RNA sequence: CGGGGUGUAGCGCAGGAGGUAGCGCGCAUGGUUUGGGACCAUGAGGUCGGCGGUUCAAAUCCGCCCACCCCGACCA
């Protein structure tokens, strides 16, 4: 490709609203253009990268036994209502009506459509297992698009769905995908960390995310260096520590003037926060719930939401709490009626806690569960933090940030049951098909690749996904010998099938070198009167400082070798 | 949805005691240049985010709205 003809210019100054490195560089390099918040056009260079990523993904999906198909973006809302996931996605779902007022939505993902398709095509265990995938545009009305390609409202995703007859099969499919994903990231030059994850609106039981570790990442990861435990902070657990058990003492009221928060109560009574019970009120699907947890621990709302099985969850306002007859600042789980009590399992890790008395400025000492109150649900709803102990091995937990570049889920049968995707086994008995789903965001993968590979001059593409392999850069183009040598070399390299970006512009050396660096093309080939004196061209890798002179007739071979390695 | 910020030429910004808009980069033409974003000259390019109000007069003052960015909520 001749740079003089290439659509898309490099910018000297970055648009001010870009803050993330990948966003800035993509704009500066003229690879993307913003159309609206979270909506972008790809220019030719950017699109070439997306295509290369797509090729790698296809190759690995096919090798793992996947079959590619394509499903529509436009979907009947009714299909989503059948599984109830229209509610799970809530406002994240883009909806619209057709001319007959039939409700449609733009697919945020394709489980419903593919399950319906599989129901039609699969009747017998003989048709299974099945791995089907597509690379398709998805639409999600994100509350806050951000970071350029990192969180978009319209994006491209590879989604594969597995269909199996039993758990074993699901596990095999899952492991195949896990391996294929590792291969994809390796081939894209991206080190990733596999972490346990929450499955969110997709649903299902077990899921893992692939994280590219980077400071600006959206997700917090809690991990253990010792035993390799790693989980998204939404899901992470930590050992809460057993407090020394004491003899159960009887309840005792104590005046706590002016003390409403855990901090104030523990200061006032001179006890550690871990000896108090915190009360937090939420509105879950419109209903007030009482959440209690040890005073030194915070509630993890994702876990709470999962425990409650609710779609809407928010903190209750003080007015809502008071209206329910509860004394804010001294709320007590004892004697509560008509309100669901959810307890974190940490409240059984000690004894004789201090909790509210449901009287103004009064607390109760020696509160014990289940002696004094019963929780409707007792489970882990605690937020884990770095510095706490690993739930597996007891070492200290660490924390870092990452970009989620892939997410795989064991879905189970909830979708196939609701949509009637059944198969008959060898005894002629019907069962729902067991499903899994596996997603990779291509745009985000591209952005993550930049976050991982850049310097102050620009992008440094890994060879496998670089838009072009070679940047051919003649200097002093008015010099007929340079012109001829560059044109010859360009024609020769193109004829040999190499991917060359030929900077045939009449620009100064500084401009050309800076653009070459900004665009991040892995190999730069410079031809100038100086190199031609030695009948050579200069070859320099983007990732290295040193250049070398190579005789013109050896250049093609040398480049092929560099690209191969 | 809450908090903060920004909207003036393609990009980055200045202006703002109210009087009809400027700089740098980029772009066009001509010339001189060329191993790390050259220089000179000439030129094109603007509903000052939108609507309404105040005023003889609004980019500037007032009100409402919109868009975009950042933090949070939420979300894959």
């Amino acid at each position: 490709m001749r740079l003089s003809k290439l659509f898309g210019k490099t910018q000297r100054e970055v648009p001010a609203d870009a803050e993330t490195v990948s966003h800035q560089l993509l704009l500066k390099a003229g690879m993307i253009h913003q159309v609206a918040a979270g909506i972008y056009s790809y220019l030719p260079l950017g699109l070439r990268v997306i295509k290369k990523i797509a090729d790698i993904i296809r190759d690995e999906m096919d090798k793992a036994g996947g079959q590619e198909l394509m499903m529509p973006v436009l979907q009947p809302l009714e299909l989503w209502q059948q599984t109830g996931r229209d509610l799970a996605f809530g406002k994240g779902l883009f909806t619209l009506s057709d001319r007959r007022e039939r409700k449609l939505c733009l697919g945020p993902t394709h489980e419903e459509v593919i399950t319906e398709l599989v129901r039609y095509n699969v009747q017998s265990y003989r048709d299974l297992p099945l791995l089907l995938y597509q690379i398709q545009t998805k639409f999600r009305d994100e509350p806050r698009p951000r970071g350029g390609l990192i969180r978009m409202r319209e994006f491209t995703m590879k989604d594969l769905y597995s269909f199996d007859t039993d758990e074993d099969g699901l596990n095999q499919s899952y492991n195949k995908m896990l391996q294929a994903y590792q291969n994809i990231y390796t081939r894209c030059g991206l080190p990733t960390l596999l972490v346990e994850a929450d499955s969110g609106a997709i649903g299902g039981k077990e899921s893992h995310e692939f994280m590219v570790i980077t400071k600006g990442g959206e997700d917090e990861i809690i991990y253990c260096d010792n035993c390799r435990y790693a989980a998204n902070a939404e899901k992470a657990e930590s050992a809460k520590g057993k407090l020394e058990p004491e003899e159960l003492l009887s309840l005792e009221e104590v005046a706590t003037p002016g003390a409403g928060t855990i901090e104030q109560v523990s200061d006032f009574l001179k006890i550690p926060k871990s000896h108090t019970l915190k009360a937090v009120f939420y509105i879950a699907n419109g209903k007030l719930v009482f959440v209690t947890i040890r005073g030194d621990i915070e509630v993890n709302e994702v876990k709470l939401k999962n425990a409650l099985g609710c779609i809407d969850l928010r903190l209750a306002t003080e007015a809502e709490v008071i209206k329910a007859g509860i004394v804010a600042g001294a709320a007590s789980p004892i004697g509560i009626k008509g309100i669901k009590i959810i307890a974190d399992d940490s409240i059984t890790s000690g004894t004789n806690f201090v909790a509210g008395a449901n009287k103004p400025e009064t607390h109760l000492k020696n509160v014990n569960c289940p002696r004094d109150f019963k929780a409707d649900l007792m489970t882990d709803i605690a937020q884990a933090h770095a510095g706490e102990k690993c739930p597996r091995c007891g070492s200290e937990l660490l924390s870092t940030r990452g970009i989620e570049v892939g997410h795989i889920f064991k879905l189970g049968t909830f979708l196939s049951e609701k949509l009637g995707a059944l198969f008959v086994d060898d005894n002629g008995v019907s069962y729902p098909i067991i499903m899994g789903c596996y997603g990779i965001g291509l745009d985000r993968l591209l952005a993550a690749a930049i976050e991982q590979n850049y310097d102050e001059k620009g992008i440094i593409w890994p060879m496998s996904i670089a838009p072009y392999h070679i940047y051919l850069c003649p200097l002093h183009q008015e010099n007929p010998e340079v012109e001829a040598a560059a044109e010859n070399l360009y024609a020769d390299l193109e004829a040999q099938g190499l991917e060359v970006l030929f900077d045939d512009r009449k620009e100064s050396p500084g401009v050309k070198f800076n653009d070459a660096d900004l665009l991040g093309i892995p190999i730069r080939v410079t031809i100038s009167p100086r190199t031609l004196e030695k009948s050579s061209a200069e070859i320099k890798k983007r990732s290295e400082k040193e250049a070398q002179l190579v005789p013109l007739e050896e250049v093609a071979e040398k480049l092929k070798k560099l690209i191969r390695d």
Side-chain angles (χ1 to χ4, degrees):
Chain A
M1 181 71 208
R2 285 174 190 269
L3 199 48
S4 63
K5 306 283 182 218
L6 180 70
F7 179 69
K9 286 196 176 70
T10 57
Q11 305 295 132
R12 294 210 177 172
E13 298 195 76
V14 203
D17 10 329
E19 210 159 89
T20 315
V21 170
S22 59
H23 191 197
Q24 288 182 348
L25 290 175
L26 282 163
L27 289 170
K28 204 172 174 207
M31 295 191 182
I32 60 170
H33 178 81
Q34 181 166 22
V35 176
I39 303 176
Y40 291 84
S41 295
Y42 280 102
L43 279 66
L45 281 181
L47 182 61
R48 282 182 72 96
V49 180
I50 285 288
K51 282 180 166 172
K52 293 212 171 181
I53 292 171
D55 286 345
I56 290 172
I57 292 175
R58 278 202 181 89
D59 187 49
E60 292 295 334
M61 290 299 107
D62 291 346
K63 275 186 193 158
Q67 298 183 61
E68 187 171 7
L69 46 67
M70 179 123 94
M71 293 175 280
V73 162
L74 201 55
Q75 306 173 6
L77 189 61
E78 197 189 346
L79 195 51
W80 287 78
Q81 289 163 339
Q82 281 176 40
T83 60
R85 293 209 311 164
D86 57 328
L87 299 173
F89 271 92
K91 288 184 174 169
L93 200 60
F94 274 107
T95 55
L96 65 159
S97 300
D98 67 14
R99 61 172 73 204
R100 290 175 198 168
E101 294 302 318
R102 260 198 284 269
K103 297 263 187 231
L104 300 166
C105 68
L106 301 179
T109 175
H110 283 74
E111 282 82 9
E112 276 73 6
V113 174
I114 201 155
T115 305
E116 200 278 332
L117 174 63
V118 164
R119 177 184 68 178
Y120 185 79
N121 279 281
V122 170
Q123 280 83 36
S124 158
Y125 72 97
R126 293 172 196 267
D127 300 323
L128 299 172
L130 210 45
L131 300 174
L132 301 171
Y133 77 97
Q134 65 172 348
I135 294 176
Q136 176 63 291
T137 306
K138 313 283 180 182
F139 293 84
R140 296 184 190 179
D141 194 359
E142 290 296 327
R144 182 148 91 87
R146 73 185 99 172
L149 301 187
I150 290 177
R151 180 167 294 269
M152 304 201 288
R153 293 192 294 172
E154 172 174 342
F155 60 101
T156 306
M157 180 163 135
K158 185 288 303 176
D159 44 325
L160 182 142
Y161 304 89
S162 67
F163 301 88
D164 285 283
T165 57
D166 55 25
E167 289 291 325
D168 264 5
L170 172 61
N171 290 336
Q172 281 178 33
S173 295
Y174 196 81
N175 289 333
K176 267 188 204 166
M177 281 302 119
L178 207 145
Q179 185 56 55
Y181 273 39
Q182 307 276 24
N183 297 345
I184 289 164
Y185 300 123
T186 303
R187 287 177 64 180
C188 291
L190 272 184
T192 55
L193 181 66
L194 186 66
V195 309
E196 295 179 16
D198 178 71
S199 55
I202 301 288
K205 27 194 166 171
E206 190 180 338
S207 87
H208 286 92
E209 290 166 337
F210 294 82
M211 293 284 189
V212 170
I213 302 306
T214 171
K215 252 206 326 238
E218 287 193 302
D219 293 285
E220 188 187 0
I221 299 157
I222 302 286
Y223 67 102
C224 169
D225 254 349
N226 185 47
C227 72
R228 301 268 171 173
Y229 172 72
N232 191 311
E234 293 177 344
K235 157 98 180 176
E237 296 168 19
S238 68
K240 289 160 193 167
K242 280 273 176 209
L243 303 177
E244 256 332 286
E246 300 164 18
E247 194 182 332
L248 300 193
L249 303 174
S250 37
L251 282 176
E252 189 183 324
E253 258 187 30
V254 55
T256 51
T261 65
I262 290 293
E263 193 83 19
Q264 291 160 349
V265 170
S266 70
D267 277 358
F268 183 82
L269 297 174
K270 309 230 171 353
I271 51 164
K273 284 196 272 185
S274 56
H275 284 256
T276 66
L277 293 185
K278 188 187 286 184
V280 193
F281 296 90
Y282 284 90
I283 303 289
N285 286 357
K287 274 199 172 149
L288 188 75
V289 296
F290 187 125
V291 176
T292 184
I293 189 166
R294 215 171 67 201
D296 59 326
I297 303 177
E298 293 156 43
V299 175
N300 176 326
E301 294 187 6
V302 173
K303 288 183 184 177
L304 178 60
K305 201 169 167 178
N306 288 337
L308 289 166
C310 66
I311 286 164
D312 269 335
L313 183 73
R314 63 172 173 84
L315 278 170
T317 62
E318 195 169 334
E320 286 167 327
V321 172
I322 291 166
K323 198 175 160 205
I326 290 160
V327 179
S332 178
I334 299 177
I336 287 284
K337 284 200 189 80
I339 298 173
K340 204 170 187 184
I341 299 179
I342 314 295
D344 183 63
D345 52 19
S346 58
I347 69 166
T348 60
S349 68
T351 44
N352 301 328
F353 288 105
V354 168
N358 209 28
K359 272 191 202 171
E361 311 205 319
T362 311
H363 280 74
L364 286 171
K365 285 165 81 172
N366 307 325
V367 172
N368 291 287
C369 179
R371 186 191 70 182
D372 303 320
F373 70 95
K374 287 204 182 60
D376 296 290
L377 187 61
M378 167 107 63
T379 183
D380 171 36
I381 50 168
Q383 182 70 47
H385 293 284
E388 295 168 358
K389 298 284 178 273
C390 173
R392 304 275 166 82
C393 74
S395 300
E396 186 160 318
L397 288 173
L398 302 168
S399 132
T400 183
R401 298 194 77 82
I403 300 172
E404 175 194 345
V405 291
H407 199 158
I408 60 181
F409 306 77
K410 290 185 185 175
L411 294 175
T413 55
F414 70 94
L415 289 164
S416 49
E417 280 168 23
K418 287 198 168 121
L419 294 171
L422 310 175
F423 71 96
V424 292
D425 71 359
D426 51 4
N427 293 315
V429 182
S430 268
Y431 294 98
I433 303 173
I434 299 178
M435 295 174 56
C437 76
Y438 315 83
I440 294 183
L442 276 72
D443 322 270
R444 193 183 269 188
L445 180 59
L446 183 158
I450 295 174
E451 296 288 337
Q452 205 65 213
N453 302 288
Y454 72 94
D455 63 15
E456 65 290 345
K457 287 287 190 184
I459 304 168
I460 308 174
W461 290 113
M463 189 66 76
S464 56
I465 58 173
Y468 288 90
H469 294 147
I470 297 155
Y471 193 94
L472 179 57
C473 187
L475 306 180
H476 296 272
Q477 276 214 286
E478 77 291 348
N479 178 323
E481 285 174 42
V482 170
E483 168 100 36
E487 289 288 348
N488 280 339
L489 186 56
Y490 176 56
D492 183 30
L493 296 177
E494 287 266 286
Q496 299 196 45
L498 299 183
E499 299 178 27
V500 185
L501 192 56
F502 179 21
D503 191 349
D504 59 338
R505 299 172 303 170
K506 311 267 182 283
E507 288 286 356
S508 69
V511 170
K512 292 189 174 192
F513 288 156
N514 277 296
D515 277 345
D517 288 345
L518 173 60
L519 295 178
I521 309 301
I523 305 170
R524 188 182 78 195
V525 178
T526 308
I527 293 182
S528 71
R530 197 192 284 181
T531 68
L532 287 180
E533 268 176 30
K534 294 177 179 150
S535 306
S536 298
E538 178 196 88
I539 294 181
K540 180 186 168 298
K541 286 168 84 170
R542 175 66 178 85
S543 56
E544 291 172 10
K545 265 207 134 57
E546 296 310 310
Q548 53 175 312
L549 274 182
V550 175
L552 282 173
E553 63 277 11
E554 293 170 25
V555 167
E557 280 314 310
K558 176 75 184 170
L559 290 175
K560 282 185 186 168
K561 186 169 182 309
L562 284 172
I563 292 165
R564 216 181 308 124
D565 302 341

